[in-house]
Amino acid sequence: MTRDDIISVLGPVDEAVIADIVSTGATIEELREAFAWIGADEALVNEGRQLPSARVAALIELLETPDDEDLS
């Protein structure tokens, strides 16, 4: 997966985040799935979707903002 692939899914992100994502060896499809889970985990579970694979779960962990860093 390239830097441009990552930006096409996530928008502008820090270079360190890009490097972390690339280091997982994930595919762009896995990144898209992780991004979908972050935005709508309850809806995906209610749809009957299988829980994320280990690699997708690792991407979710990289992309989620810890609660104590929430800016709201």
Side-chain angles (χ1 to χ4, degrees):
M1 180 169 27
T2 68
R3 178 183 183 282
D4 289 339
D5 290 337
I6 294 167
I7 292 170
S8 75
V9 175
L10 303 178
V13 291
D14 185 84
E15 292 298 322
V17 172
I18 292 172
D20 287 344
I21 292 169
V22 169
S23 73
T24 67
T27 65
I28 191 166
E29 291 81 14
E30 289 169 322
L31 180 60
R32 287 182 181 131
E33 182 180 345
F35 192 65
W37 275 101
I38 290 169
D41 61 342
E42 285 184 37
L44 294 174
V45 168
N46 290 339
E47 269 183 21
R49 292 270 268 333
Q50 290 185 7
L51 294 176
S53 67
R55 194 177 306 179
V56 172
L59 288 169
I60 291 168
E61 187 174 322
L62 281 172
L63 297 174
E64 284 187 320
T65 304
D67 290 338
D68 60 349
E69 291 182 22
D70 197 359
L71 300 176
S72 53

